[in-house]
Amino acid sequence: MTDAERDDDGGVATDIVLDFLPHGRTEDDRPQYEKDPLAYVLNSEEFELFEVIADSDANVSIGDRVDLSTADFVSRYSSIEYEDLPGGAQSELEYVIEDLVEEQEQRFVDFYNDAQPITLRLHQLNLLPGIGKKLRNNILDERKRNPFESFEELEERIGGLHDPEQVLVDRIMEELREDDLKYRIFAPREEE
């Protein structure tokens, strides 16, 4: 792991660069010398999206892991919505989330182990695409017997649950794309 992948506290940097526009937005009509370089970043803990105004000498690449609060190339940054991402960042986003779910497997397997009811009639597991009452009940019964250790074990023990990783990726993408979801699991939004 390089120094760029660590933050000042010695932990792993949690922000991932989705896209870098060294010459700013193409739709910006200002002269080139007036445009700021821009980076688009995903926070891997809260799945929050950011637009970063970078220094003119920034050396940033897609996929770099940074800590926005301490990165030396950051002039300032602000939270944005999915629709504010340029096309390149939007297309990179799902790949980055797939990689995150794979590398943080235990975190996401624990979601299946720890998911709780939201209301008397709705469970967090039901918010995942393709999981209805029957699959939810199978997951709940199996996790009572023994917690799941991996996605592979989850898929083996729960008949009908195919590709539990992709189910989570799809839900995270849905939460990032949709403004009007009533319930959010992975990408909470601050109330305005």
Side-chain angles (χ1 to χ4, degrees):
M1 183 172 299
T2 66
D3 291 338
E5 292 174 318
R6 295 199 171 274
D7 65 20
D8 287 345
D9 299 329
V12 176
T14 61
D15 303 310
I16 303 168
V17 177
L18 300 171
D19 201 1
F20 180 62
L21 306 176
H23 305 292
R25 288 191 192 102
T26 54
E27 66 272 8
D28 189 343
D29 293 334
R30 295 180 296 167
Q32 187 61 50
Y33 68 90
E34 290 182 5
K35 295 182 187 180
D36 293 314
L38 297 172
Y40 293 89
V41 176
L42 171 73
N43 176 277
S44 65
E45 296 299 316
E46 297 292 325
F47 294 100
E48 189 172 0
L49 299 167
F50 296 98
E51 179 181 76
V52 176
I53 297 177
D55 295 334
S56 59
D57 61 344
N59 184 13
V60 183
S61 298
I62 294 172
D64 283 356
R65 292 182 181 246
V66 298
D67 181 347
L68 287 183
S69 62
T70 61
D72 57 358
F73 71 90
V74 175
S75 291
R76 65 181 188 271
Y77 61 92
S78 58
S79 184
I80 59 171
E81 301 297 327
Y82 175 83
E83 59 270 3
D84 299 326
L85 290 173
Q90 285 183 4
S91 60
E92 187 69 18
L93 182 60
E94 187 164 353
Y95 298 114
V96 168
I97 292 172
E98 285 172 359
D99 289 345
L100 280 171
V101 170
E102 185 177 316
E103 70 189 40
Q104 297 179 14
E105 181 175 2
Q106 194 57 55
R107 169 187 174 191
F108 293 102
V109 168
D110 284 345
F111 171 76
Y112 284 102
N113 287 325
D114 302 332
Q116 297 296 313
I118 297 171
T119 67
L120 289 174
R121 294 178 179 226
L122 183 65
H123 198 280
Q124 284 180 322
L125 291 170
N126 293 117
L127 298 178
L128 300 178
I131 296 187
K133 257 194 219 182
K134 185 176 180 181
L135 268 180
R136 177 202 64 207
N137 290 341
N138 288 346
I139 293 169
L140 294 174
D141 290 343
E142 281 295 319
R143 78 181 194 187
K144 281 180 194 172
R145 289 186 185 94
N146 234 354
F148 302 106
E149 299 292 325
S150 67
F151 287 126
E152 186 179 334
E153 179 187 348
L154 186 62
E155 201 167 352
E156 287 171 8
R157 288 173 51 193
I158 307 297
L161 180 60
H162 306 290
D163 202 355
E165 292 170 84
Q166 190 60 45
V167 169
L168 294 172
V169 170
D170 292 346
R171 178 60 193 192
I172 293 166
M173 287 298 296
E174 181 181 11
E175 289 184 20
L176 288 170
R177 287 184 182 126
E178 303 296 326
D179 287 334
D180 57 351
L181 290 177
K182 186 172 183 179
Y183 300 108
R184 294 176 174 277
I185 308 167
F186 302 103
R189 294 228 173 123
E190 293 187 22
E191 298 300 318
E192 296 173 9

